[in-house]
Amino acid sequence: MKAIILAAGRGTRISRHLSGNPKCTVDIGGTTLIRYTIKLLQENGITDIAIILGYRSEVIIKELEDFNITYFYNPFFDATNSIASMWFAKEFLSDDDFLIMNGDVYIEKPILQIIESEKKEFLLLSDETRITEADYKLKYNDGILEKYGKELSEDDTTGEYVGIAIIRKEAIPKFSKELDSLINKQKHNLWWENILYELSNEIKIYVRDVEKNFWAEVDYIEDFDRIISHRSNMNDSENAK
């Protein structure tokens, strides 16, 4: 399995807390988020990794200079959204299963194990414990995506989108074709996930709950605080053994 990490955005909702640095370079207690993520992936057999850069790309490259990473660059990161970033890396989409994740997402090993256990062509990860506080919401039935969006009501929400998807190699041609179609229609302002949302009109997009395993997406300072608190509690538990 390969991995693509999207890290081109500016992160305006939390930028004042980051001294102008990319969100993925936030210190989460002894290491940065992006460094933690790369090590986690590599230690679990995902070693072919690409990162799509944009805002302050040099900071991320410097942080990861001792890793073997493939880099792509979206020069229009300030005027486009993540679907454009994905288009700049489309040559990396070939001959293997893919994990695609946003660079500001923190996960742990059990979530990777859930991913490995699923063999669906297209899979989104969701957290069914987060309904009221959910940012981007998913509705699914029998594990099949039905609705999506920030404006879904609580009654119409099954879980919060985690910011991670899996695309199996046999589904890459469909994914790439829809990516090209949206870009050719000048839909540069869409999220890359809109590729899957468009495909859901024709084929099944599956959703899997992360089964109460901890994760966080760093959009606000409260998200950062959740990660720090969780990691501190984990260290305390390890030290108590």
Side-chain angles (χ1 to χ4, degrees), residues 60-215:
I60 299 173
I61 292 172
K62 176 67 175 176
E63 177 62 24
L64 300 176
E65 61 185 356
D66 54 334
F67 290 95
N68 182 20
I69 304 292
T70 301
Y71 292 107
F72 296 93
Y73 183 70
N74 175 5
F76 310 112
F77 66 88
D78 240 2
T80 63
N81 211 329
S82 61
I83 192 169
S85 293
M86 183 64 70
W87 187 84
F88 279 104
K90 67 177 185 176
E91 68 184 66
F92 196 69
L93 292 166
S94 62
D95 67 30
D96 206 348
D97 298 340
F98 275 88
L99 178 153
I100 303 177
M101 66 182 294
N102 297 324
D104 58 355
V105 173
Y106 174 92
I107 61 170
E108 293 181 332
K109 183 176 179 178
I111 292 180
L112 290 181
Q113 293 171 331
I114 290 172
I115 289 168
E116 184 59 32
S117 70
E118 285 284 357
K119 302 302 179 185
K120 303 294 191 300
E121 281 191 338
F122 296 104
L123 180 73
L124 295 167
L125 294 188
S126 174
D127 185 348
E128 295 178 7
T129 70
R130 292 176 61 84
I131 303 294
T132 302
E133 63 273 70
D135 180 25
Y136 199 90
K137 304 166 185 176
L138 302 178
K139 176 179 173 56
Y140 43 97
N141 187 30
D142 291 332
I144 300 172
L145 183 67
E146 294 182 347
K147 297 181 182 179
Y148 43 86
K150 289 179 175 287
E151 306 306 320
L152 292 183
S153 68
E154 287 188 26
D155 290 340
D156 226 12
T157 300
T158 311
E160 180 178 17
Y161 171 53
V162 170
I164 299 176
I166 304 300
I167 301 169
R168 298 298 175 183
K169 60 183 178 181
E170 60 269 21
I172 290 172
K174 299 174 190 174
F175 182 86
S176 297
K177 181 179 179 181
E178 189 62 37
L179 169 61
D180 282 336
S181 175
L182 291 171
I183 290 295
N184 288 337
K185 293 174 184 175
Q186 303 297 302
K187 301 292 187 179
H188 306 137
N189 62 330
L190 297 178
W191 301 103
W192 78 263
E193 289 91 347
N194 281 91
I195 301 168
L196 301 186
Y197 303 149
E198 288 294 322
L199 287 171
S200 71
N201 296 320
E202 307 169 10
I203 59 178
K204 294 177 181 178
I205 305 296
Y206 288 88
V207 186
R208 173 73 184 269
D209 177 38
V210 294
E211 299 174 358
K212 299 183 180 179
N213 288 295
F214 181 85
W215 71 280

Side-chain angles (χ1 to χ4, degrees), residues 31-84:
T31 189
T32 59
L33 175 56
I34 190 62
R35 191 174 185 86
Y36 165 85
T37 298
I38 296 300
K39 289 185 69 175
L40 177 70
L41 294 175
Q42 290 187 341
E43 288 169 359
N44 288 276
I46 303 175
T47 57
D48 196 353
I49 301 170
I51 301 179
I52 309 172
L53 304 172
Y55 174 68
R56 297 212 62 191
S57 58
E58 75 281 359
V59 177
I60 299 173
I61 292 172
K62 176 67 175 176
E63 177 62 24
L64 300 176
E65 61 185 356
D66 54 334
F67 290 95
N68 182 20
I69 304 292
T70 301
Y71 292 107
F72 296 93
Y73 183 70
N74 175 5
F76 310 112
F77 66 88
D78 240 2
T80 63
N81 211 329
S82 61
I83 192 169

